[in-house]
Amino acid sequence: MVTDARSVLQRCDELARCSEEAGRLTRRFGTPALAQARDLVAGWMREAGLHPRVDAVGNLLGARGDGPRLLLGSHLDTVIDAGRYDGPLGVLCAIAVAERLRDRPLEVAGFADEEGVRFGTAYLGSALLAGRFDPAWLDRTDADGVPLRSLVGDIAVPPRADLIGYAEVHIEQGPVLEALDRPVGVVTAIAGQTRARVTFTGRAAHAGTTPMDLRSDALVAAAAWVLEVHALARATPGLVATVGELRVEPGAGNVVPGRVVASLDVRHAEDAVREHAVEQLLAAVEGEVLQANGAVACDDSGFPADLPRLASGAGHDAVMLSAVCPVSMLFVRSPGGISHHPDEAVREADVAVALDTLTAFVEARC
Amino acid sequence: MVTDARSVLQRCDELARCSEEAGRLTRRFGTPALAQARDLVAGWMREAGLHPRVDAVGNLLGARGDGPRLLLGSHLDTVIDAGRYDGPLGVLCAIAVAERLRDRPLEVAGFADEEGVRFGTAYLGSALLAGRFDPAWLDRTDADGVPLRSLVGDIAVPPRADLIGYAEVHIEQGPVLEALDRPVGVVTAIAGQTRARVTFTGRAAHAGTTPMDLRSDALVAAAAWVLEVHALARATPGLVATVGELRVEPGAGNVVPGRVVASLDVRHAEDAVREHAVEQLLAAVEGEVLQANGAVACDDSGFPADLPRLASGAGHDAVMLSAVCPVSMLFVRSPGGISHHPDEAVREADVAVALDTLTAFVEARC
């Protein structure tokens, strides 16, 4: 019987041994390491009175009871050189809650792909349940040329119509709860995101022979814009805007930069705020929007009012599930805000609060 | 008899056919292409009444007369995918002037390495005449592992004590004369140069989950500094300061930059101005000076007072020769300021002015 935080964390440790690589945790979609993790978790599901099955894309789904039900869970795949909590913590908390409430009908999911590392498209797992698996994805190939098509079964399945809600525990992957000194927080929305590429064109020139007033320095223009991005985001509550990539051409110490290509990532829980910010930031530059996803509202009504509320800046399986049912998320404090890194951590006491909170949430719903 | 601009430019065309690569001009130190160019130029030296010889590092030196003399010339090596005037124009102008003034004792140099492309150290040729050839350079190897030592003879030669001056015609490689609408200009000094590396350390973080007020974004800090570099240089007459390289780590669109490494190149004709600027620009950052070279004053007394004066932001063989004699330089307008590129050009009428100016300079000196 695993129902306490300490045991959940021991299972996180055990699961972290299922890896594609010795010495570090990497568990991508469609790998033997993921199948091994699934077998381990399926055993734990059975112990908790759930009946595990694996669907066409490799999601592990453990259900009990008939009729409409609540889905709990998270994903079992990881990034490369990952921490052990991003995903698995939510799956193992869900199983522990299923164990605590053995008389309730519910279902636990361990999704096969949320990170999108192998095929460059995230949410392959939860997309199937949501009826949002795009058949065009089947033609994608991984770095070794393996097509996605060769790894999955019949993806022509209807969206799930039997879910009354989806609830997910996940590490925050950010510093907000730590700054608030709170163990858990309720997600109000998953932020919408715009990704863009911005190009600054100047004139490459000799750094010694070209006087300042005869230069057109692409990096100087880009630098002014980077500061503008930062200032706008700081001045707009809830907005995050990031220039994470910046490539200087030709990129030699003695040549005035002729061209700079920069990335822009803008996120906000309200689409109108994000869209207005993107418009402002691209108004005076040569920009190209690569991707724009709307925000997803979360149902926070099942959680106590005294828990802190926050938006999620990162995407989660709940984005997909929102197509078929209300989605709710509970964040667990991330010490140091560390994520996608072996140093990713959670505190046992915080996990205990998350378990109790999720238990109460489920008790009130089904 | 080649004494006019048109013929000099035809020789530039002919010389450009001596290349390591078909279809573009590349003529590095110690290559058969350079030896071929040297043979061609040696023939033209003989026609002009000079007696060519090749010294231990491969410089072509054509002299006539005894005793102290004026040295004219430039370099015969090129960068990769070069233009045809950077170097050769100065050598061929010198030979044309020698032809015009057949009764004067003088010497013409076609230096074997000014660009430093093959062994990463410039001025190998002129350093030998100046007594500044560092024997440590002999241990350098090129990209194929060929040691410099295998290509040169006895480098233990004393500095030249018989030179009363060195005068070099060179393309400007910048836009100043074009902006002034003048064919030629007299160099007052070759700017000193400081090269530095500056590191900005922030904290890498998730671009979605890290609120703006909890970030330490290394690129934002670097961007503010890039603008500071630009502003200081614009506010300081004659100063050029360039950030030509900037590397962002980890460099992903969805990660707040944790580290940025940037280059800094600062040049000025007065060392004190350059040193003060570097001090200001590195005062508040983590910087490391990689190289600092003092300015070299040029003797402009032999040129007409009505010619425009300018500093050279690029280095030239005159830097080395300044150790043994006064050095003088005459720049020829570079259309578009283009340099180190196949599109590098000069105008025939401008070369005609350069030839007449250099002829008068030599007549007055010897």
Side-chain angles (χ1 to χ4, degrees):
Chain A
M1 282 251 307
V2 163
T3 56
D4 63 323
R6 182 160 199 178
S7 306
V8 164
L9 293 181
Q10 282 169 349
R11 283 183 168 176
C12 286
D13 294 343
E14 199 173 338
L15 200 50
R17 290 199 285 271
C18 303
S19 175
E20 296 174 52
E21 306 176 287
R24 63 180 199 168
L25 173 53
T26 299
R27 198 166 60 225
R28 295 170 306 151
F29 175 76
T31 60
L34 186 65
Q36 189 192 349
R38 211 160 44 202
D39 290 347
L40 197 55
V41 174
W44 295 333
M45 283 180 167
R46 278 186 209 99
E47 283 178 30
L50 300 164
H51 306 291
R53 67 185 178 92
V54 178
D55 74 7
V57 299
N59 296 317
L60 176 64
L61 297 162
R64 71 175 168 228
D66 298 316
R69 69 189 72 158
L70 195 59
L71 180 68
L72 310 178
S74 188
H75 58 96
L76 290 174
D77 68 310
T78 73
V79 295
I80 291 163
D81 196 15
R84 54 186 60 179
Y85 306 105
D86 178 349
L89 180 68
V91 180
L92 301 179
C93 281
I95 294 172
V97 169
E99 177 88 75
R100 286 183 181 193
L101 304 171
R102 289 190 76 106
D103 56 334
R104 312 279 170 136
L106 51 74
E107 186 167 347
V108 173
F111 292 114
D113 181 279
E114 189 260 5
E115 302 287 2
V117 172
R118 185 160 174 193
F119 290 96
T121 179
Y123 312 131
L124 285 181
S126 48
L128 190 71
L129 278 69
R132 292 170 71 176
F133 192 103
D134 183 346
W137 295 342
L138 293 171
D139 295 323
R140 289 187 174 242
T141 53
D142 70 4
D144 297 323
V146 178
L148 175 56
R149 190 182 299 280
S150 70
L151 299 173
V152 301
D154 177 18
I155 53 98
V157 293
R160 289 285 292 267
D162 60 339
L163 300 178
I164 60 169
Y166 171 69
E168 176 170 0
V169 168
H170 202 283
I171 58 166
E172 182 200 336
Q173 304 178 266
V176 175
L177 293 172
E178 186 166 72
L180 294 173
D181 196 21
R182 299 291 293 268
V184 301
V186 178
V187 177
T188 52
I190 297 170
Q193 180 187 18
T194 299
R195 295 192 310 117
R197 177 168 47 220
V198 178
T199 303
F200 298 87
T201 306
R203 202 171 49 244
H206 192 299
T209 62
T210 316
M212 300 309 290
D213 59 341
L214 296 176
R215 295 182 177 200
S216 172
D217 186 326
L219 180 57
V220 169
W225 177 79
V226 166
L227 296 185
E228 193 195 317
V229 170
H230 190 71
L232 179 67
R234 287 208 61 132
T236 310
L239 191 76
V240 288
T242 308
V243 181
E245 288 180 275
L246 190 139
R247 199 174 70 242
V248 180
E249 297 171 9
N254 62 350
V255 181
V256 176
R259 190 162 179 266
V260 169
V261 181
S263 67
L264 175 66
D265 179 313
V266 181
R267 310 193 199 194
H268 197 275
E270 291 170 44
D271 292 343
V273 175
R274 173 177 49 85
E275 284 158 8
H276 182 63
V278 168
E279 200 175 296
Q280 278 184 268
L281 293 174
L282 299 185
V285 297
E286 188 193 331
E288 179 193 2
V289 171
L290 303 175
Q291 192 182 24
N293 297 321
V296 169
C298 292
D299 175 13
D300 69 346
S301 63
F303 294 109
D306 65 336
L307 290 183
R309 260 61 182 169
L310 72 168
S312 173
H316 294 286
D317 289 305
V319 169
M320 282 291 153
L321 272 308
S322 69
V324 290
C325 63
V327 296
S328 303
M329 289 196 74
L330 187 68
F331 273 174
V332 180
R333 168 164 50 188
S334 292
I338 297 166
S339 157
H340 288 183
H341 189 280
D343 291 344
E344 186 181 278
V346 286
R347 294 202 186 118
E348 187 182 319
D350 295 355
V351 174
V353 174
L355 284 171
D356 291 346
T357 306
L358 185 63
T359 303
F361 177 93
V362 175
E363 282 182 311
R365 286 284 171 111
C366 56
Chain B
M1 282 251 306
V2 164
T3 56
D4 64 322
R6 183 160 199 177
S7 306
V8 164
L9 293 181
Q10 282 168 350
R11 283 183 168 176
C12 286
D13 294 342
E14 198 173 339
L15 200 51
R17 290 199 285 270
C18 303
S19 174
E20 297 173 50
E21 305 177 286
R24 62 179 200 170
L25 173 53
T26 299
R27 198 165 63 222
R28 295 170 306 151
F29 175 76
T31 60
L34 186 66
Q36 188 192 351
R38 209 161 45 205
D39 289 348
L40 197 56
V41 175
W44 295 333
M45 282 180 166
R46 278 186 208 98
E47 283 178 29
L50 299 165
H51 306 291
R53 66 184 178 93
V54 178
D55 73 7
V57 298
N59 295 318
L60 176 65
L61 297 162
R64 69 175 170 231
D66 298 317
R69 71 189 71 158
L70 195 58
L71 180 68
L72 310 178
S74 189
H75 59 95
L76 290 174
D77 68 312
T78 74
V79 295
I80 291 163
D81 197 16
R84 54 188 58 180
Y85 304 105
D86 177 351
L89 179 69
V91 180
L92 301 178
C93 281
I95 293 171
V97 169
E99 177 87 75
R100 286 183 180 191
L101 305 171
R102 290 190 75 106
D103 56 334
R104 312 281 171 134
L106 50 74
E107 185 167 347
V108 173
F111 292 115
D113 181 280
E114 189 259 6
E115 302 287 4
V117 172
R118 184 161 174 192
F119 290 98
T121 181
Y123 312 131
L124 286 179
S126 49
L128 190 72
L129 278 69
R132 290 169 73 176
F133 191 103
D134 183 346
W137 295 342
L138 293 170
D139 295 322
R140 288 187 176 242
T141 53
D142 71 4
D144 297 322
V146 177
L148 174 56
R149 190 181 301 279
S150 70
L151 299 173
V152 301
D154 178 17
I155 54 96
V157 293
R160 290 284 293 267
D162 59 341
L163 300 179
I164 61 170
Y166 171 69
E168 176 171 359
V169 169
H170 202 282
I171 59 166
E172 182 201 335
Q173 305 178 264
V176 174
L177 293 173
E178 185 165 72
L180 294 173
D181 196 21
R182 299 290 293 268
V184 302
V186 179
V187 178
T188 52
I190 297 170
Q193 179 186 19
T194 298
R195 293 193 311 116
R197 176 168 48 218
V198 178
T199 304
F200 298 87
T201 307
R203 202 169 49 245
H206 192 299
T209 63
T210 316
M212 300 308 291
D213 59 341
L214 296 175
R215 294 183 177 200
S216 172
D217 186 326
L219 181 57
V220 169
W225 177 79
V226 165
L227 295 184
E228 192 194 319
V229 169
H230 191 70
L232 179 68
R234 287 208 61 130
T236 310
L239 191 76
V240 287
T242 308
V243 182
E245 288 179 272
L246 191 138
R247 198 174 70 240
V248 179
E249 297 171 8
N254 63 349
V255 181
V256 176
R259 190 160 178 266
V260 169
V261 181
S263 66
L264 176 66
D265 179 313
V266 180
R267 310 193 199 195
H268 196 275
E270 290 171 44
D271 292 342
V273 175
R274 173 177 48 85
E275 284 158 8
H276 182 62
V278 169
E279 200 175 296
Q280 278 182 269
L281 293 174
L282 299 185
V285 297
E286 188 193 330
E288 180 193 1
V289 171
L290 303 175
Q291 193 182 23
N293 298 321
V296 169
C298 292
D299 176 11
D300 70 346
S301 63
F303 294 108
D306 65 337
L307 290 183
R309 261 60 183 170
L310 72 169
S312 172
H316 293 286
D317 289 306
V319 169
M320 282 289 153
L321 272 308
S322 69
V324 291
C325 64
V327 296
S328 303
M329 288 196 75
L330 187 69
F331 273 172
V332 181
R333 168 164 50 185
S334 292
I338 296 167
S339 156
H340 288 183
H341 189 281
D343 290 345
E344 186 181 278
V346 286
R347 296 202 184 116
E348 186 182 320
D350 295 354
V351 174
V353 175
L355 284 170
D356 290 347
T357 307
L358 185 63
T359 303
F361 177 93
V362 174
E363 280 183 310
R365 286 285 172 108
C366 57

